[in-house]
Amino acid sequence: MNTGRAAQKCGPQTVVRAFDKLSIPDIEICCSQSDVQITKCVFILDDWTNTTSNNCTDFIQHSRIKDNIYCYLFETNNTYFFGNPDSGNNLTRPWVRNIDFYFKIDNITNITSKYISVGAISVQLMDPNFNPLWKEKAASIADLYENQTIKSQINAFAGIQNMTTLAYFTKQTIQTILPHDIFAIFGTTPNYHNISYLNVISKYFPLHPNEDVSAGNFHGHFNVGPGSFIHDVQSEKLSHTVLFALGLFGGGFGLISGIYILLFGQLRNNP
């Protein structure tokens, strides 16, 4: 049945939008073979001052431990937002430029005994309005695909011992048509199901020697910020709808009637 519906869809239409602000992503932080702590997260504000949350306790409320993999979910619940520095004075202050995270791995010895790399964690960003792995059930085949992408950590980046990671994200949304959407079937505006995902580019640099690293206060650092405030929205369209079929039928009937009149003349009207 899904294959039949897919055959009726034409190519998606893309709309590009520019925003003054973006929601801060939900951030999943995972470590294999050891627990991990976020010793602090620092919000860099619009005026270049900062506010610090020790242990990030205000923003990490959910955790999941399975198969010796320790995962935590960072979420601001719209307490803060990323602001576009080029938007002028249209933003309500304070807004955030980027966020620094400092992490500490509890048992680096256990990690290095299992892997050939130094101690590391995996980090991935998810749109707070679409997070099927932690918050909601999948509603479509596309949801299941994105959920599997998140589970496989295809879009994740690494936080590495004695390294700093700079991660930049851009947002893209796909508006899909769910099965049995009566509006889409008739050819009017569908009740779109939005699937938002974040594309991430990361860069890695070594940390210089400092007292915090030497004392073991943290093992590594990563920074998260928006790479662009341009948002691509792709909307699915159905090529075969009821209105399309009626229009096609009407056009075909008119064509046949025209050919008939051309060949045999117009029918006589009875008085």
Side-chain angles (χ1 to χ4, degrees):
M1 182 176 294
N2 289 329
T3 303
R5 289 192 73 252
Q8 298 178 2
K9 292 181 181 179
C10 58
Q13 295 182 351
T14 301
V15 177
V16 178
R17 300 172 182 170
F19 289 98
D20 291 333
K21 61 182 181 179
L22 288 173
S23 299
I24 293 177
D26 290 348
I27 303 176
E28 182 188 62
I29 304 163
C30 294
C31 187
S32 178
Q33 307 301 323
S34 172
D35 204 349
V36 60
Q37 303 175 43
I38 302 299
T39 58
K40 64 178 177 179
C41 50
V42 182
F43 296 81
I44 311 301
L45 304 179
D46 57 283
D47 59 358
W48 295 105
T49 60
N50 64 73
T51 179
T52 299
S53 174
N54 291 322
N55 298 315
C56 231
T57 51
D58 295 334
F59 305 102
I60 298 179
Q61 303 293 332
H62 298 90
S63 62
R64 183 178 64 243
I65 302 173
K66 184 179 180 180
D67 299 328
N68 211 21
I69 298 176
Y70 300 77
C71 292
Y72 298 90
L73 182 67
F74 168 92
E75 50 186 341
T76 64
N77 295 316
N78 295 319
T79 305
Y80 295 102
F81 62 88
F82 285 125
N84 185 350
D86 298 325
S87 63
N89 297 319
N90 299 326
L91 296 175
T92 302
R93 296 184 173 181
W95 48 268
V96 177
R97 292 179 179 270
N98 51 71
I99 310 173
D100 289 312
F101 295 85
Y102 298 83
F103 65 88
K104 179 180 179 180
I105 300 173
D106 288 354
N107 194 341
I108 287 185
T109 302
N110 193 45
I111 293 179
T112 54
S113 68
K114 304 288 184 180
Y115 305 108
I116 61 173
S117 67
V118 298
I121 63 174
S122 64
V123 184
Q124 60 179 338
L125 311 183
M126 296 164 285
D127 189 278
N129 298 316
F130 181 78
N131 186 348
L133 184 61
W134 285 84
K135 294 182 177 180
E136 57 195 24
K137 294 182 179 180
S140 69
I141 298 297
D143 283 5
L144 294 174
Y145 173 80
E146 184 62 20
N147 190 36
Q148 188 59 45
T149 299
I150 295 173
K151 282 185 177 180
S152 303
Q153 297 188 332
I154 293 175
N155 206 27
F157 62 90
I160 305 172
Q161 181 184 3
N162 296 327
M163 298 282 285
T164 179
T165 305
L166 303 182
Y168 307 96
F169 71 90
T170 56
K171 183 176 179 179
Q172 187 170 2
T173 296
I174 298 177
Q175 295 183 321
T176 63
I177 299 174
L178 296 178
H180 313 302
D181 186 332
I182 192 67
F183 295 101
I185 293 172
F186 270 92
T188 58
T189 303
N191 290 320
Y192 281 120
H193 174 64
N194 292 328
I195 301 174
S196 296
Y197 60 93
L198 306 178
N199 298 310
V200 178
I201 296 176
S202 55
K203 299 180 180 180
Y204 302 88
F205 304 93
L207 288 172
H208 64 75
N210 62 77
E211 294 180 357
D212 286 320
V213 173
S214 301
N217 295 330
F218 64 86
H219 292 125
H221 161 271
F222 62 91
N223 176 281
V224 174
S228 172
F229 286 85
I230 301 299
H231 180 192
D232 291 341
V233 180
Q234 294 184 353
S235 302
E236 285 185 342
K237 301 294 181 182
L238 289 182
S239 59
H240 297 167
T241 65
V242 172
L243 293 180
F244 175 82
L246 291 175
L248 187 64
F249 175 79
F253 180 79
L255 177 62
I256 294 173
S257 299
I259 294 174
Y260 182 89
I261 293 173
L262 181 64
L263 294 176
F264 304 104
Q266 189 171 2
L267 295 176
R268 180 180 298 177
N269 294 326
N270 293 325

Short mmCIF file of all heavy atoms in Angstrom, two decimals, residues 125 157 166-170 199-203 205 223-228:
data_model
loop_
_atom_site.label_atom_id
_atom_site.label_comp_id
_atom_site.label_asym_id
_atom_site.label_seq_id
_atom_site.Cartn_x
_atom_site.Cartn_y
_atom_site.Cartn_z
N LEU A 125 22.82 15.94 17.98
CA LEU A 125 21.84 17.01 18.14
C LEU A 125 20.51 16.60 17.51
O LEU A 125 20.49 16.03 16.42
CB LEU A 125 22.34 18.30 17.49
CG LEU A 125 23.77 18.74 17.82
CD1 LEU A 125 24.08 20.07 17.14
CD2 LEU A 125 23.99 18.84 19.31
N PHE A 157 28.78 13.48 16.49
CA PHE A 157 30.18 13.87 16.50
C PHE A 157 30.79 13.41 17.82
O PHE A 157 30.08 13.00 18.74
CB PHE A 157 30.36 15.37 16.29
CG PHE A 157 29.73 16.23 17.36
CD1 PHE A 157 30.45 16.61 18.48
CD2 PHE A 157 28.42 16.68 17.23
CE1 PHE A 157 29.87 17.41 19.46
CE2 PHE A 157 27.84 17.49 18.20
CZ PHE A 157 28.56 17.84 19.32
N LEU A 166 34.24 21.73 17.92
CA LEU A 166 33.31 22.79 17.55
C LEU A 166 32.27 22.18 16.61
O LEU A 166 32.62 21.66 15.55
CB LEU A 166 34.04 23.94 16.86
CG LEU A 166 35.18 24.60 17.65
CD1 LEU A 166 35.77 25.76 16.86
CD2 LEU A 166 34.70 25.07 19.02
N ALA A 167 31.01 22.24 17.00
CA ALA A 167 29.93 21.63 16.22
C ALA A 167 28.94 22.71 15.79
O ALA A 167 28.43 23.46 16.63
CB ALA A 167 29.21 20.55 17.03
N TYR A 168 28.69 22.77 14.48
CA TYR A 168 27.75 23.73 13.92
C TYR A 168 26.61 22.97 13.26
O TYR A 168 26.84 21.99 12.56
CB TYR A 168 28.44 24.63 12.89
CG TYR A 168 29.69 25.31 13.39
CD1 TYR A 168 30.95 24.76 13.14
CD2 TYR A 168 29.61 26.49 14.10
CE1 TYR A 168 32.10 25.38 13.61
CE2 TYR A 168 30.76 27.12 14.56
CZ TYR A 168 32.00 26.56 14.31
OH TYR A 168 33.13 27.17 14.78
N PHE A 169 25.38 23.45 13.44
CA PHE A 169 24.24 22.74 12.87
C PHE A 169 23.41 23.66 11.98
O PHE A 169 23.37 24.88 12.16
CB PHE A 169 23.35 22.16 13.98
CG PHE A 169 22.57 23.18 14.77
CD1 PHE A 169 21.30 23.57 14.37
CD2 PHE A 169 23.11 23.75 15.91
CE1 PHE A 169 20.57 24.51 15.09
CE2 PHE A 169 22.39 24.70 16.65
CZ PHE A 169 21.13 25.07 16.23
N THR A 170 22.76 23.05 11.00
CA THR A 170 21.75 23.71 10.19
C THR A 170 20.48 22.86 10.24
O THR A 170 20.55 21.64 10.45
CB THR A 170 22.19 23.87 8.72
OG1 THR A 170 22.54 22.58 8.18
CG2 THR A 170 23.40 24.79 8.63
N ASN A 199 21.56 18.96 10.40
CA ASN A 199 22.83 18.57 9.77
C ASN A 199 23.97 19.22 10.56
O ASN A 199 23.91 20.41 10.88
CB ASN A 199 22.87 19.02 8.32
CG ASN A 199 21.78 18.37 7.49
OD1 ASN A 199 21.61 17.15 7.53
ND2 ASN A 199 21.02 19.17 6.75
N VAL A 200 24.99 18.44 10.86
CA VAL A 200 26.05 18.89 11.75
C VAL A 200 27.41 18.82 11.05
O VAL A 200 27.72 17.84 10.37
CB VAL A 200 26.10 18.05 13.04
CG1 VAL A 200 27.24 18.50 13.95
CG2 VAL A 200 24.77 18.15 13.78
N ILE A 201 28.19 19.88 11.22
CA ILE A 201 29.59 19.90 10.80
C ILE A 201 30.43 20.10 12.05
O ILE A 201 30.14 20.98 12.86
CB ILE A 201 29.85 21.02 9.78
CG1 ILE A 201 29.06 20.79 8.50
CG2 ILE A 201 31.34 21.13 9.47
CD1 ILE A 201 29.20 21.91 7.48
N SER A 202 31.44 19.27 12.23
CA SER A 202 32.27 19.36 13.44
C SER A 202 33.74 19.50 13.07
O SER A 202 34.20 18.98 12.05
CB SER A 202 32.08 18.12 14.32
OG SER A 202 32.32 16.93 13.60
N LYS A 203 34.46 20.23 13.93
CA LYS A 203 35.90 20.43 13.77
C LYS A 203 36.57 20.15 15.11
O LYS A 203 36.01 20.44 16.17
CB LYS A 203 36.20 21.85 13.30
CG LYS A 203 35.58 22.20 11.95
CD LYS A 203 35.90 23.63 11.54
CE LYS A 203 35.28 23.96 10.19
NZ LYS A 203 35.58 25.35 9.75
N PHE A 205 40.12 20.26 17.67
CA PHE A 205 41.38 20.93 17.97
C PHE A 205 41.90 20.41 19.31
O PHE A 205 41.12 20.10 20.21
CB PHE A 205 41.18 22.45 18.06
CG PHE A 205 40.58 23.06 16.82
CD1 PHE A 205 39.20 23.24 16.71
CD2 PHE A 205 41.38 23.46 15.77
CE1 PHE A 205 38.64 23.80 15.59
CE2 PHE A 205 40.83 24.03 14.63
CZ PHE A 205 39.46 24.19 14.54
N ASN A 223 31.68 22.48 21.85
CA ASN A 223 30.91 23.71 21.73
C ASN A 223 29.86 23.53 20.65
O ASN A 223 30.15 23.00 19.57
CB ASN A 223 31.84 24.88 21.39
CG ASN A 223 31.10 26.19 21.16
OD1 ASN A 223 30.52 26.42 20.11
ND2 ASN A 223 31.13 27.06 22.16
N VAL A 224 28.63 23.97 20.93
CA VAL A 224 27.52 23.82 19.99
C VAL A 224 26.96 25.19 19.64
O VAL A 224 26.72 26.02 20.54
CB VAL A 224 26.41 22.93 20.59
CG1 VAL A 224 25.19 22.91 19.67
CG2 VAL A 224 26.92 21.52 20.82
N GLY A 225 26.75 25.43 18.36
CA GLY A 225 26.16 26.69 17.92
C GLY A 225 25.57 26.54 16.53
O GLY A 225 25.85 25.57 15.81
N PRO A 226 24.72 27.48 16.12
CA PRO A 226 24.11 27.41 14.79
C PRO A 226 25.13 27.75 13.71
O PRO A 226 25.90 28.69 13.84
CB PRO A 226 22.99 28.44 14.85
CG PRO A 226 23.43 29.41 15.92
CD PRO A 226 24.23 28.62 16.91
N GLY A 227 25.11 26.97 12.63
CA GLY A 227 25.96 27.28 11.49
C GLY A 227 25.29 28.23 10.52
O GLY A 227 25.94 28.92 9.74
N SER A 228 23.95 28.27 10.57
CA SER A 228 23.19 29.13 9.68
C SER A 228 21.79 29.29 10.24
O SER A 228 21.28 28.39 10.92
CB SER A 228 23.13 28.54 8.26
OG SER A 228 22.25 29.28 7.44
#
